């Protein structure tokens, strides 16, 4: 097993961050080292790395325009800019790439759009091939219009799932050659503000983290038609917690045994065990990120470690993960990473 894994940090660049940062996780020493800037970019808040580790795509801001920047990943882990595609308006907040590198999709919180791009053989981006624009609203003050927060492929990549925090909807699109055709819409509880989704490896279940109500929604997933049915909702913060909390990231383990979610405000990662018979969740425990506003986190390629990105404190926190119990043990909490939003590793 590799003793060192290269990771990347997406950031806001409102204060001192320069863009995308690189770091190394040394699993022998159990520490994060060498946080260094590798790409100057405005607000590259979310990143994705291709399965073959050849390319990295980052959402980005270019003056009054927003879009996606493509990079080639060098053997050293450094990034070489390829090209960008941008249009008028705020930058997207989420980006995903298909496993064969052929299709990149973004979700835009501000413009109500999901945009689909095809790629060239060298990893660079072609212009937008399709756009899905959304309508609707919800009862919360932050739900005055659609706020697309996620656009990602289903495990078999037949469908694209778009999540609208603004109108409490999870929309399924059939995706072929980058073209989007809406096939199904699932409505979450009014005012819940769904944010991100993660699929169980069995492809029978999916798990959604809500931002506004800090809950995990457990869904039965029909991979034939891309539809969902709700089976359980479970709170991700303590019942007696009354301060502001915004639910954020959600990730599953490859073995399908645990779900992890992050809480901004409560500043914790909640752990849940998955019932292997029906996909339902049982709460395990909360672990403090010992930083402020964990906007996302990631399991390392070995899944023995978890790295959280604390946006407001500008720090990364490293945990060791017990693969049997799912519990997390803090190893490091003072790793400087300015305005950190998301963390991604090269694939092992």
């Amino acid at each position: 097993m590799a003793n060192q894994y290269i990771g990347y940090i997406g950031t806001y660049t409102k204060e001192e961050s320069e863009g995308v940062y690189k770091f190394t996780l040394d699993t022998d020493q159990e520490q994060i080292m060498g946080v260094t800037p590798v790409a100057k970019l405005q607000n590259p808040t979310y990143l994705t790395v291709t399965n073959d580790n050849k390319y990295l795509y980052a959402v980005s801001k270019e003056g009054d325009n927003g879009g996606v920047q493509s990079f080639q990943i060098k053997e050293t882990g450094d990034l070489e800019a390829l090209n960008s595609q941008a249009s008028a308006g705020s930058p997207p907040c989420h980006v995903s790439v298909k496993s064969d590198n052929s299709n990149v999709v973004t979700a835009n919180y501000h413009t109500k759009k999901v945009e689909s791009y095809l790629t060239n053989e060298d990893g660079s981006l072609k212009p937008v091939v399709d756009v899905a624009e959304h309508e609707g609203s919800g009862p919360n003050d932050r739900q005055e219009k659609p706020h697309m927060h996620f656009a990602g492929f289903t495990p078999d990549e037949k469908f694209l799932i778009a999540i609208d925090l603004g109108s409490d909807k999870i929309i399924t699109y059939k995706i072929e050659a980058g073209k989007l055709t809406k096939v199904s819409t699932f409505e979450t509880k009014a005012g819940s503000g769904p944010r991100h989704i993660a699929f169980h490896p069995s492809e029978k279940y999916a798990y959604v983290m809500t931002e506004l109500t800090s809950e995990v929604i457990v869904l039965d997933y029909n991979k034939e038609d891309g539809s969902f049915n709700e089976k359980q909702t479970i709170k991700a913060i303590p019942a007696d917690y009354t301060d502001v909390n915004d639910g954020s990231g959600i990730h599953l383990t490859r073995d399908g045994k645990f779900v992890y979610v992050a809480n901004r405000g409560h500043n914790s990662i909640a752990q849940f065990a998955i019932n292997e018979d029906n996909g339902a969740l049982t709460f395990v425990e909360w672990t403090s990120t010992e930083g402020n506003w964990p906007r996302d986190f990631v399991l390392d390629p070995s899944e023995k470690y978890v790295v959280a990105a604390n946006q407001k404190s500008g720090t990364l926190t490293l945990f060791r993960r017990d693969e049997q119990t799912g519990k997390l043990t803090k190893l490091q909490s003072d790793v400087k990473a300015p305005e950190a939003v998301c963390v991604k590793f090269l694939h092992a």
Side-chain angles (χ1 to χ4, degrees), residues 51-125:
N51 279 4
D52 60 10
N53 294 332
K54 285 185 176 178
Y55 309 109
L56 180 146
Y57 298 94
V59 304
S60 66
K61 183 179 188 306
E62 298 177 20
D64 294 329
N65 295 338
V68 195
Q69 172 73 49
S70 59
F71 294 93
Q72 182 180 357
I73 300 172
K74 309 302 251 179
E75 279 191 26
T76 57
D78 289 342
L79 301 178
E80 181 179 311
L82 294 172
N83 77 330
S84 67
Q85 295 289 350
S87 55
S90 298
C93 63
H94 190 272
V95 59
S96 299
V97 62
K98 202 173 176 186
S99 62
D100 66 1
N101 307 354
S102 65
N103 192 186
V104 171
V105 290
T106 62
N108 197 306
Y109 185 88
H110 297 283
T111 67
K112 309 188 282 190
K113 294 176 182 175
V114 166
E115 296 187 309
S116 175
Y117 306 79
L118 297 179
T119 60
N120 297 302
E121 279 192 23
D122 67 352
S124 60
L125 293 155

Side-chain angles (χ1 to χ4, degrees), residues 116-285:
S116 175
Y117 306 79
L118 297 179
T119 60
N120 297 302
E121 279 192 23
D122 67 352
S124 60
L125 293 155
K126 296 179 180 179
V128 171
V129 68
D130 205 4
V131 180
E133 192 159 346
H134 300 83
E135 296 300 330
S137 59
N140 188 286
D141 290 347
R142 290 181 50 201
Q143 294 181 305
E144 78 293 352
K145 66 173 187 177
H147 289 299
M148 309 312 298
H149 221 311
F150 176 97
F153 298 91
T154 56
D156 62 9
E157 299 186 328
K158 272 189 0 190
F159 301 108
L160 183 83
I161 306 300
I163 298 191
D164 178 8
L165 180 149
S167 64
D168 299 312
K169 291 190 181 86
I170 299 168
I171 305 121
T172 304
Y173 292 93
K174 191 169 180 58
I175 185 160
E176 294 177 297
K179 296 281 190 177
L180 301 169
T181 308
K182 188 188 288 188
V183 294
S184 177
T185 300
F186 175 83
E187 295 197 18
T188 65
K189 182 177 66 182
S192 57
R195 178 184 172 95
H196 281 192
I197 191 169
F199 282 86
H200 192 272
S202 70
E203 301 182 30
K204 292 179 182 176
Y205 320 113
Y207 302 85
V208 172
M209 182 61 173
T210 69
E211 179 164 329
L212 302 179
T213 55
S214 306
E215 294 169 320
V216 184
I217 307 169
V218 183
L219 301 169
D220 284 319
Y221 174 59
N222 182 331
K223 69 181 209 174
E224 301 308 313
D225 63 10
S227 65
F228 298 97
N229 280 298
E230 185 171 341
K231 71 185 305 168
Q232 182 191 15
T233 298
I234 188 167
K235 204 75 176 166
I237 51 173
D240 59 357
Y241 184 82
T242 55
D243 290 344
V244 170
N245 188 77
D246 288 354
S248 60
I250 180 166
H251 300 285
L252 261 73
T253 54
R254 279 191 301 267
D255 61 13
K257 291 182 176 178
F258 296 99
V259 171
Y260 296 86
V261 300
N263 290 301
R264 295 171 289 175
H266 190 246
N267 292 340
S268 64
I269 293 177
Q271 301 117 59
F272 299 91
I274 300 172
N275 183 313
E276 61 184 31
D277 295 326
N278 61 13
L281 298 184
T282 304
F283 173 72
V284 177
E285 71 175 7

Side-chain angles (χ1 to χ4, degrees), residues 15-35:
E15 294 165 8
E16 56 181 307
S17 169
E18 295 181 38
V20 181
Y21 287 71
K22 179 181 81 166
F23 68 93
T24 301
L25 169 62
D26 188 310
T27 58
D28 286 343
Q29 298 187 51
E30 296 194 314
Q31 64 176 355
I32 291 167
M33 304 182 298
V35 177

